Coordinates of all heavy atoms in Angstrom, one line a residue:
S17 N -8.6 3.6 -6.1 CA -8.3 2.9 -7.3 C -8.2 1.4 -7.0 O -8.2 0.6 -8.0 CB -6.9 3.4 -7.9 OG -5.8 3.0 -7.1
S35 N -17.8 -3.7 4.0 CA -17.0 -2.8 3.2 C -17.0 -3.3 1.7 O -17.4 -4.4 1.4 CB -15.5 -2.8 3.7 OG -14.9 -4.0 3.5
G91 N -14.0 -19.1 9.7 CA -15.4 -19.6 9.6 C -16.2 -18.6 8.8 O -15.7 -17.6 8.3
A156 N -13.1 -0.8 32.6 CA -12.7 -1.7 33.7 C -13.4 -1.4 35.0 O -13.8 -2.2 35.8 CB -11.2 -1.7 33.9
V202 N -13.8 -11.0 22.9 CA -14.0 -9.7 22.3 C -14.5 -9.8 20.9 O -13.9 -10.5 20.1 CB -12.8 -8.8 22.4 CG1 -13.0 -7.4 21.8 CG2 -12.3 -8.7 23.8
L238 N -11.4 -16.2 14.1 CA -11.5 -16.2 15.6 C -10.1 -16.5 16.1 O -9.5 -17.5 15.7 CB -12.5 -17.2 16.1 CG -12.5 -17.5 17.6 CD1 -13.0 -16.2 18.4 CD2 -13.4 -18.7 18.0
K342 N -38.7 13.2 14.3 CA -38.7 12.6 13.0 C -38.3 11.1 13.1 O -37.5 10.7 14.0 CB -37.6 13.2 12.1 CG -38.0 14.7 11.7 CD -36.9 15.3 10.8 CE -37.2 16.7 10.5 NZ -38.4 16.9 9.7

Side-chain angles (χ1 to χ4, degrees):
S17 71
S35 66
V202 179
L238 171 67
K342 294 184 183 292

